[in-house]
Amino acid sequence: MKMKQLPTTANGLHGSVVVPGDKSISHRAMMFGAMATGTTKVLRRLDSADVSSTISVLKSLGAKITEKDNNITEVVGTGVAGLKSPNQPLDMGNSGTSTRLLTGLITGAGLNATITGDSSLSTRPMDRVTVPLSEIGGTFTSDHGHLPLTIEASKLDTEIHQTLKVGSAQVKSAILLAGLAAGSDTFVTDSFHTRNHTEQMLPKFGVKVETSGDTIHIPANQKLQATEIEVPGDISSAAYWLVAGLITPNSKLTIKNVGVNPTRIGIIKVLQDMGGDITIDTKTDFGEPIADITVKTSQLHGVEVGGDIIPSLIDEIPVIVLAATQATGKTVIKDAAELKVKETNRIDTVQEELNKLGANVIPTDDGFIIDGPAKLASSGVHVSGHGDHRIAMMLSIAALVTNGTITLDDDESVKISYPTFFNNLEGLVKS
Ligand code: S3P
């Protein structure tokens, strides 16, 4: 396998960076565009392997999706009634969000389909969507809750009441989309307060969504109308630069146009709690709030992270653990057992790779205990991203605070969510 030499820097990171569009929002904009009638224009969507999986599946269901100039993607929707059962299996690649949300959509639309994915996706649990969807009338066969998954055309209940058992926005969105596509009166209770992009975006497509306490209600028999969606920068991608700027000596950098939806900013709260110098300049708000975020090198200290904040930073935990290795004292991360069912078991992969670099990371059943600060690798170490984009990017940031002798096995995985990651890294190191 090709090994990549990871850059380091003596002068710190400087300048500014614009991160690509938000992955969660990009998936939803494509899906809702396909469910709508008319032409939806999506500005600055994420162009990555995961979103490409969603697009190719939507095309197999009958939507027309084309790239235009100026970062605009046009989605010509058929309306839910115009979607058709695909005549070949739907390949979701590495993408859990595509799989779970589209399973909801296809089930609600009353279509037949078989869903496949890559080896990582095929180990991830799909019963978290098929069990609640079966309870409301869906019919599935799967390999013990794993892909390949077959959806058999069925008619859903006209009234749907579900309460989330896991803190997963993918599950919440799958049920909401199933109910919306089926025209059912749909109520989903989410006491975990997972990311709310589905509820935020549907009203732009003319769908009435009522929220009362923890319960989201989509009234029956609504149709989506085409609209325009502007996608903010992905805070999950910005997370690498937030931590890089804080832990790399002599750094000051700005990340522009980052989505700062309150259900996604747990990482900012935790890094500020750790003593990070972070300035947030909030800008216009087009439904999803956006901000320019500036970070400066800071001496961090250990903190406790757990409970309600976890869903708002679940994808950022690998890079938060890296920050904790450079902080003074002990950091405890708990209530994060969901990490075990991400693209890899991230409790295992984070501790294995950071400890190879000399960190002191102890895995627990639902998180980590980290003792810092640790001096990371002063002699050559080969690290592995285990094919997981967020592990590869976290390790590339870790390499910045080493003496520059670190090699990474799979730089290709960044294409899942952040294809221009290494270009941006080189730009910040050089400026
Ligand atoms: C996502 C929800 C999260 C997150 C994933 C994107 C979404 O997954 O990890 O990257 O777009 O709804 P879970 O809902 O399974 O926690």
Side-chain angles (χ1 to χ4, degrees):
M1 187 178 285
K2 184 171 114 296
M3 298 295 280
K4 183 179 176 67
Q5 179 86 40
L6 295 172
T8 185
T9 171
N11 305 324
L13 301 175
H14 299 276
S16 65
V17 59
V18 182
V19 290
D22 187 278
K23 180 157 78 68
S24 295
I25 295 175
S26 299
H27 282 299
R28 287 161 173 79
M30 295 295 123
M31 291 177 199
F32 302 170
M35 294 169 80
T37 40
T39 303
T40 291
K41 286 191 172 142
V42 182
L43 181 59
R44 283 190 289 272
R45 74 165 172 91
L46 172 63
D47 183 7
S48 80
D50 269 12
V51 180
S52 297
S53 297
T54 285
I55 289 176
S56 73
V57 168
L58 291 172
K59 285 180 176 170
S60 306
L61 300 178
K64 289 198 178 61
I65 301 176
T66 43
E67 299 312 316
K68 300 286 171 186
D69 290 343
N70 301 324
N71 258 318
I72 292 175
T73 304
E74 267 186 15
V75 186
V76 183
T78 54
V80 172
L83 295 172
K84 56 178 184 2
S85 297
N87 39 29
Q88 74 235 15
L90 301 172
D91 180 4
M92 302 285 178
N94 188 246
S95 180
T97 308
S98 312
T99 310
R100 298 196 179 111
L101 270 61
L102 287 165
T103 296
L105 167 51
I106 291 166
T107 305
L111 306 177
N112 294 295
T114 296
I115 291 178
T116 61
D118 73 7
S119 57
S120 153
L121 189 61
S122 302
T123 66
R124 299 181 64 187
M126 296 305 155
D127 45 356
R128 55 181 54 203
V129 287
T130 55
V131 168
L133 292 173
S134 303
E135 286 167 8
I136 60 173
T139 311
F140 305 93
T141 30
S142 72
D143 179 8
H144 301 94
H146 296 106
L147 301 185
L149 169 71
T150 299
I151 305 169
E152 209 180 291
S154 26
K155 174 128 186 46
L156 297 193
D157 300 348
T158 51
E159 198 175 315
I160 292 170
H161 291 268
Q162 284 284 331
T163 298
L164 293 191
K165 293 180 188 67
V166 274
S168 165
Q170 294 178 353
V171 176
K172 171 176 69 179
S173 301
I175 304 166
L176 289 172
L177 291 191
L180 175 61
S184 310
D185 200 22
T186 305
F187 296 82
V188 180
T189 301
D190 171 14
S191 60
F192 303 94
H193 308 138
T194 64
R195 65 191 66 192
N196 64 2
H197 304 301
T198 297
E199 305 90 289
Q200 292 286 317
M201 198 186 293
L202 282 175
K204 293 211 171 121
F205 284 86
V207 175
K208 188 166 162 198
V209 179
E210 297 163 346
T211 304
S212 162
D214 292 346
T215 301
I216 303 137
H217 173 210
I218 301 186
N221 299 322
Q222 300 196 65
K223 305 253 183 294
L224 293 84
Q225 299 299 331
T227 186
E228 289 189 15
I229 300 289
E230 207 170 329
V231 182
D234 197 331
I235 192 167
S236 298
S237 299
Y240 302 100
W241 312 127
L242 290 174
V243 171
L246 293 175
I247 68 172
T248 310
N250 309 313
S251 298
K252 180 181 176 195
L253 62 90
T254 300
I255 315 149
K256 299 199 154 208
N257 295 334
V258 183
V260 286
N261 177 311
T263 62
R264 296 285 298 280
I265 56 172
I267 182 163
I268 296 179
K269 292 186 189 150
V270 166
L271 293 174
Q272 283 179 330
D273 240 24
M274 295 175 86
D277 183 340
I278 305 178
T279 314
I280 300 172
D281 179 11
T282 305
K283 307 194 347 188
T284 49
D285 183 331
F286 42 83
E288 292 280 350
I290 61 169
D292 289 347
I293 307 177
T294 300
V295 288
K296 287 189 205 155
T297 309
S298 307
Q299 181 51 59
L300 302 178
H301 54 78
V303 287
E304 279 220 8
V305 184
D308 292 350
I309 201 168
I310 295 295
S312 71
L313 48 67
I314 189 74
D315 292 341
E316 291 70 72
I317 291 178
V319 81
I320 291 174
V321 176
L322 170 63
T325 69
Q326 302 307 295
T328 308
K330 184 191 281 197
T331 294
V332 178
I333 300 177
K334 56 181 188 178
D335 306 318
E338 276 292 302
L339 291 172
K340 294 179 184 169
V341 290
K342 293 297 179 185
E343 285 81 332
T344 55
N345 177 334
R346 289 182 178 158
I347 295 185
D348 288 351
T349 50
V350 165
Q351 68 87 20
E352 181 183 337
E353 298 304 320
L354 281 175
N355 287 343
K356 267 192 206 166
L357 291 173
N360 187 355
V361 179
I362 300 166
T364 65
D365 210 37
D366 63 350
F368 307 89
I369 300 169
I370 306 115
D371 261 319
K375 180 152 179 43
L376 298 190
S378 46
S379 60
V381 178
H382 300 298
V383 289
S384 170
H386 298 259
D388 181 338
H389 55 135
R390 300 209 188 278
I391 303 299
M393 291 189 275
M394 179 276 285
L395 291 169
S396 304
I397 302 304
L400 289 171
V401 292
T402 67
N403 68 351
T405 54
I406 311 303
T407 48
L408 171 71
D409 66 352
D410 63 339
D411 58 324
E412 284 285 296
S413 66
V414 303
K415 71 180 191 308
I416 293 297
S417 63
Y418 195 165
T420 53
F421 174 81
F422 287 108
N423 301 341
N424 287 167
L425 176 58
E426 275 151 34
L428 288 168
V429 166
K430 280 195 196 117
S431 52

